[in-house]
């Protein structure tokens, strides 16, 4: 039964997450709250690992969640659930491509989907940034201590350094992004940013 549930949850995600891997994040936050398969903190770690490994973010996340939930068969069920809607839609479009090509309603629908996917990706990016740079539970304490404890200062400092190195410092801004990802991963592991 868990395999069908994994397939179904990720099928819904694959069907409605228009805009790529980051567009799956709102669905994954909802899945976390609904199923309890992983926490929001786990999700932040999964995003970091999925972004650092080869392959599409959504597929990496589905495989990871399926694996931690039900090992290899769960990973297969979740991954197949995520990619099946795309395969079905592409097959359907391929059958009717000539009639869709110049249809103004289809063009208008895709134009509208651009705005929706941009909003979903922006919201996902802000959620990831807040999860990485803020201690959202700190506000519950109240007072000035809550404000001091709100920011994950080592992570903020690392983000600032990586931003400056990748955009402002002449001899490092041309480096490949994977070098900045690797640098951040090493610093995160050495200083244990997740536990800060």
């Amino acid at each position: 039964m868990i395999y069908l549930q994994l397939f179904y949850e990720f099928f819904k995600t694959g069907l409605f997450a228009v805009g790529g891997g980051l567009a799956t994040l709102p669905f994954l936050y909802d899945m976390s709250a609904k199923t309890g398969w992983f926490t929001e903190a786990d999700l932040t770690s999964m995003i970091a690992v999925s972004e650092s490994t080869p392959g599409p973010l959504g597929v990496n996340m589905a495989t990871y969640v399926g694996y931690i939930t039900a090992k290899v068969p769960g990973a297969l069920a979740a991954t197949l659930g995520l990619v099946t809607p795309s395969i079905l839609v592409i097959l359907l479009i391929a059958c009717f491509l000539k009639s869709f090509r110049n249809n103004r309603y289809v063009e208008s629908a895709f134009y509208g989907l651009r705005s929706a996917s941009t909003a979903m990706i922006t919201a996902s990016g802000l959620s990831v940034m807040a999860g990485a740079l803020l201690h959202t539970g700190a506000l519950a304490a109240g007072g000035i201590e809550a404000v001091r404890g709100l920011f994950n200062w080592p992570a903020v400092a690392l983000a600032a350094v990586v931003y400056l190195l990748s955009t402002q410092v002449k001899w490092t801004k041309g480096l490949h992004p994977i070098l900045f990802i690797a640098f951040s991963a090493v610093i995160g592991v050495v200083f244990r940013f997740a536990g800060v």
Side-chain angles (χ1 to χ4, degrees):
M1 189 62 179
I2 188 69
Y3 307 121
L4 285 175
Q5 189 178 3
L6 280 164
F7 183 87
Y8 175 70
E9 291 296 331
F10 280 99
F11 185 88
K12 289 190 305 186
T13 300
L15 187 61
F16 296 111
V18 178
L22 287 177
T24 64
L25 293 182
F27 296 96
L28 290 171
Y29 280 111
D30 182 56
M31 192 183 304
S32 166
K34 189 167 70 172
T35 64
W37 290 335
F38 51 91
T39 66
E40 287 191 18
D42 293 337
L43 187 57
T44 303
S45 298
M46 291 180 339
I47 292 166
V49 171
S50 295
E51 285 283 4
S52 303
T53 55
L57 175 76
V59 173
N60 290 348
M61 299 282 282
T63 305
Y64 184 79
V65 170
Y67 183 79
I68 63 170
T69 305
K71 301 295 178 211
V72 173
L76 288 171
T79 304
L80 285 173
L82 185 76
V83 300
T84 298
S86 299
I87 292 169
L88 295 176
V89 167
I90 292 299
L91 289 173
L92 184 65
I93 288 174
C95 290
F96 300 103
L97 183 60
K98 288 185 181 178
S99 61
F100 277 137
R101 185 172 293 168
N102 296 319
N103 187 314
R104 65 184 175 117
Y105 297 112
V106 172
E107 286 180 18
S108 297
F110 279 117
Y111 186 76
L113 285 174
R114 285 186 212 153
S115 301
S117 64
T118 300
M120 289 176 70
I121 291 169
T122 301
S124 299
L126 292 174
S127 296
V128 170
M129 186 175 72
L133 302 179
L134 301 175
H135 296 296
T136 53
L139 289 177
I144 192 72
E145 290 302 318
V147 175
R148 275 193 211 132
L150 178 62
F151 292 97
N152 182 349
W153 290 110
V156 170
L158 177 61
V161 167
V162 169
Y163 173 76
L164 290 173
L165 289 175
S166 63
T167 62
Q168 304 300 317
V169 178
K170 188 175 185 174
W171 60 275
T172 58
K173 72 180 182 180
L175 294 176
H176 196 279
I178 194 70
L179 296 174
F180 295 106
I181 293 170
F183 168 74
S184 299
V186 168
I187 296 297
V189 168
V190 169
F191 292 102
R192 300 178 186 197
F193 279 15
V196 173

